[in-house]
Amino acid sequence: AVPTQAGAASADGYLTPGYAAPEQLLGSPITTATDIYQLGETLKRVTLESPDQAQLRWPTPIRLGLNAIIRRATAIHPGDRYDSVARLREDLVALRSYRPVSAYAGGPRYRVGLLVRRHPRAAGLVLLALLVGLGAAASIARSMAREAEERRLALREQQTAGAIGNLFVEVLNDPATREEGVTGLLDRGQQRLL
């Protein structure tokens, strides 16, 4: 602690550089907001400025929540900070139990990330169920496509067989068939099919 500068307010005339709230440095009265600022600075130093950069290994939703808590606690304007230490504590407890914090609006991705952290087994089972469902849907789609192709080929074969049958009936019933012989019959049949 160093002696406060001229005009700076402190109960004992001392403050700690780097931890003193902006209003404290300006000589304003010390309030709960001042204490919350100092708690935020302490939290920042303990968690985000560690030499081993441990926060880089933290899951993204935790980093986002922690950064938001620190930003709110260390806001420049006292009115933008937590209104009580209890509210700061609530956010820290929420963060520790992988629940959304009031300091961070976060979207669906943030909330889902916390939900997965809170319930990893259930999340794994849901993911497994989704993968099985997608696999089943893909298998059914392939099967339906194969059946449709088989139906198309069967219909084509049926139409071809019908056309050949009709051709034989027409050719055999034609009086000219008796005069042409088998070779003429085959030639006429080939021309009609093409």
Side-chain angles (χ1 to χ4, degrees):
V2 296
T4 58
Q5 297 181 5
S10 174
D12 59 3
Y14 289 89
L15 57 82
T16 304
Y19 290 86
E23 66 271 14
Q24 191 177 7
L25 295 172
L26 295 173
S28 299
I30 296 174
T31 64
T32 303
T34 307
D35 294 337
I36 290 171
Y37 184 92
Q38 293 167 346
L39 288 171
E41 284 295 334
T42 302
L43 184 62
K44 180 170 42 172
R45 299 247 183 338
V46 168
T47 59
L48 299 181
E49 296 179 3
S50 60
D52 64 350
Q53 298 295 310
Q55 77 277 8
L56 297 177
R57 293 190 302 265
W58 293 350
T60 300
I62 300 302
R63 281 195 316 261
L64 292 171
L66 181 61
N67 288 336
I69 290 170
I70 291 170
R71 273 194 309 275
R72 180 177 284 178
T74 59
I76 299 296
H77 301 291
D80 294 337
R81 297 180 200 145
Y82 288 97
D83 59 359
S84 69
V85 175
R87 297 271 192 260
L88 171 61
R89 182 182 183 284
E90 286 172 8
D91 265 359
L92 290 171
V93 168
L95 185 69
R96 186 173 176 207
S97 60
Y98 300 114
R99 298 199 179 280
V101 297
S102 69
Y104 184 68
R109 188 173 172 189
Y110 165 71
R111 293 183 184 283
V112 168
L114 290 173
L115 183 67
V116 167
R117 290 282 172 184
R118 214 169 39 246
H119 304 288
R121 287 188 191 106
L125 290 174
V126 167
L127 180 61
L128 179 62
L130 283 173
L131 291 175
V132 167
L134 287 172
S139 177
I140 289 170
R142 279 192 306 272
S143 176
M144 290 174 67
R146 196 175 326 117
E147 288 175 8
E149 178 64 15
E150 288 172 1
R151 279 194 302 276
R152 189 186 67 75
L153 290 174
L155 179 62
R156 184 174 170 202
E157 288 176 6
Q158 182 182 11
Q159 290 170 341
T160 302
I164 291 172
N166 288 339
L167 175 68
F168 277 125
V169 169
E170 287 177 27
V171 170
L172 292 175
N173 288 334
D174 188 356
T177 302
R178 293 183 197 103
E179 297 169 11
E180 292 178 331
V182 174
T183 306
L185 175 67
L186 291 175
D187 288 341
R188 266 193 324 148
Q190 184 177 15
Q191 287 172 356
R192 288 181 89 174
L193 284 176
L194 299 177

